Each structure stands twice: as C-alpha cells, then as structure tokens.
Amino acid sequence: MSNWFSIQDKVALVTGGSRGIGEMIAAGFLQHGATVYISSRKSDVCDATAAKLQEKYGGSCSSIPADLSELSGIEALVAKLSDCESRLDILVNNAGSTWGAPIDEFPEIGWDKVMDTNVKGIFFMIQKCLPLLRESASEEDPARVINIGSVDGIKTPGFDNFSYGPSKAAVHHLTRQMAAHLVRENIVVNAIAPGPFPSWMLSAGVGFGGQVEGADWESVGRGNPRKRVGTMEDIAGLAIFLSSRAGAYTVGETITCDGGAVAVS
C-alpha cells in the first residue's frame, strides 16, 4: 500500500505553475519525488518560482516560460521539454485566464483570450505532448493528463466573467472526449474542478486587487460549506492521487475540489 500513491521519479509538466493552484501542485509533486517543469507566460516570475520551489522542497524544478494561448508558444515549450526529457509521465494543464466586464460591455478580446488559453491551449498542449506521453505510457502505469477546470464550469459563476465559465465547461467535456481516445494508448485523462483557492485570479475577483499573501482569505472561506478556502494539500493531494497507481483506473472524470460549493448549490 505504501506505493499506491507514489509518484517518485516521475517527470511532470505543470503549466501555469508560477503561482496559485499550479504552484501548489508543482510543490506537492516536488515533495513526493517527481522531477517538475513549470511554465508560465512571464519568464522572470516563472524562473523565480522554479528556483524558490527547488530551494524549499529539493529535487529538480525547472522553468520553461511560454505563451500557451498561441500554438507557436506551445510548440516552443514542448521542443524545450523534449531537449531535456525523453518522456513525460504527468501533464497538468493549469494555465488559464479570465476576463471580467458587465454583459453590455463585454469585449470580443475578453472572449477570445479566455477561449484561446483555457480551451484551445489545452487541446494543443495534449496534442503536442503526445510523443512524450506515449514514451511513458504502459498498461501497468499509464501516462497521466490532468486538466484544471473549475466549479464555474459546473454551476453559475458569481462574477461577470462570461467567457470563463463556458471555457471551463468546455474543458470538462474535452477531458471526456480526449480520455475516450487516449485511454486506448494507455494515456489517462482526467480533470479537477477547483473551488476557491488563494490565487491571483480569485483575489482580483473578490476585490483584493490580486494580493495573495496577507489577503483576508478567511472572509472568503466563510462563504464556503467547509468554512475555508483550499490549501496546497487539498489540490496537490488530489493531483497526486490521479497521477499514482491509486488513480490509474479513474478515466475521463471531472472531480470537484471545492469544499462542497457545488454540492450545496
């Protein structure tokens, strides 16, 4: 049983890994013995986070900055990863964006940017990583893809972010479709739909101006059935389960990690 949840020596790529949920998952992977690569659009932030995580948790955490809303950025990221690794055991598609505006003023760019990053970006990340994932995949230990959706793709969002919820609903359905195709190749695809976690995106939405450290997350958590926001252990623990032997028979699912927000909605 001690090996059921092991990801020791696995190679993982976490997109959007420089902050928020992506950083939490990367930290959890490092603590449990995986070799981790993180990517985000801003190279200085991505490099700093990789160095910080490696110093704090040990192991190997490397930065590969890229803009994943464009195919050229995805191809550049996969090319750099392929220079470093011959296989990819775990792909976490966490990179995402949102846009808020009243319905009468919501701009086309706010629709296109969110859909390009959150939906198109995930599809082409999986497509371009297939050669590396296939090198890892076996019947005994499938390669894993974890797409980060959102409870806003399941229930009605509380903010005027009209493209975000539909984009995450698309991620959940894309997960099922990709899972149905790729399970034949021993590549297992699942999704996680997080609720409130301390992140720049939620901070901006609730009026904290993007502040994460020192923000009043207790006030946000009081509105959740569990009376708190999520932690690294919550989201990384679920990602580790899906990446380990224990999660190898779970295919095409979207699992909420939300403190009960969907259950009581």
Side-chain angles (χ1 to χ4, degrees):
M1 183 174 175
S2 62
N3 294 324
W4 289 4
F5 300 94
S6 175
I7 56 169
Q8 182 72 38
D9 299 325
K10 290 196 172 189
V11 177
L13 169 63
V14 182
T15 70
S18 67
R19 63 188 183 187
I21 284 173
E23 182 179 356
M24 294 179 194
I25 292 173
F29 282 176
L30 277 173
Q31 289 184 71
H32 287 80
T35 296
V36 179
Y37 293 83
I38 64 170
S39 180
S40 68
R41 187 171 53 86
K42 295 180 179 179
S43 59
D44 55 340
V45 177
C46 195
D47 293 345
T49 299
K52 178 184 70 174
L53 290 176
Q54 183 168 300
E55 180 180 359
K56 184 172 183 178
Y57 299 110
S60 174
C61 185
S62 303
S63 166
I64 309 180
D67 181 355
L68 303 185
S69 67
E70 299 180 357
L71 185 57
S72 59
I74 293 170
E75 290 174 335
L77 167 58
V78 176
K80 290 180 181 178
L81 180 62
S82 299
D83 289 339
C84 302
E85 302 289 345
S86 61
R87 74 180 202 278
L88 180 62
D89 302 305
I90 308 164
L91 169 62
V92 179
N93 286 309
N94 172 71
S97 64
T98 190
W99 194 289
I103 190 167
D104 291 324
E105 302 169 12
F106 201 87
E108 182 180 16
I109 189 176
W111 191 270
D112 292 345
K113 177 185 177 182
V114 171
M115 289 292 177
D116 283 349
T117 304
N118 296 6
V119 186
K120 184 182 80 174
I122 285 182
F123 175 80
F124 285 105
M125 270 301 304
I126 297 173
Q127 182 195 71
K128 300 307 178 185
C129 284
L130 280 176
L132 292 171
L133 291 166
R134 286 170 176 146
E135 286 296 320
S136 167
S138 69
E139 186 173 347
E140 296 76 21
D141 190 10
R144 316 301 169 91
V145 177
I146 303 171
N147 299 326
I148 304 301
S150 172
V151 294
D152 283 356
I154 301 173
K155 65 181 185 66
T156 303
F159 305 112
D160 288 346
N161 52 356
F162 295 98
S163 53
Y164 183 75
S167 77
K168 292 301 186 177
V171 168
H172 302 161
H173 193 71
L174 179 63
T175 296
R176 292 188 63 180
Q177 187 172 11
M178 298 295 275
H181 281 269
L182 294 177
V183 70
R184 308 164 192 168
E185 300 188 56
N186 295 313
I187 300 172
V188 168
V189 186
N190 288 289
I192 298 173
F197 277 78
S199 65
W200 179 91
M201 190 178 293
L202 180 58
S203 173
V206 298
F208 295 161
Q211 179 187 1
V212 178
E213 297 295 330
D216 185 13
W217 293 113
E218 287 189 9
S219 66
V220 177
R222 283 194 290 270
N224 183 271
R226 288 282 287 119
K227 303 302 181 185
R228 64 174 177 85
V229 295
T231 67
M232 179 185 73
E233 292 84 355
D234 297 318
I235 195 71
L238 181 51
I240 288 168
F241 159 72
L242 290 173
S243 303
S244 69
R245 173 62 186 88
Y249 201 57
T250 301
V251 180
E253 293 297 318
T254 295
I255 304 173
T256 57
C257 186
D258 65 348
V262 169
V264 303
S265 64

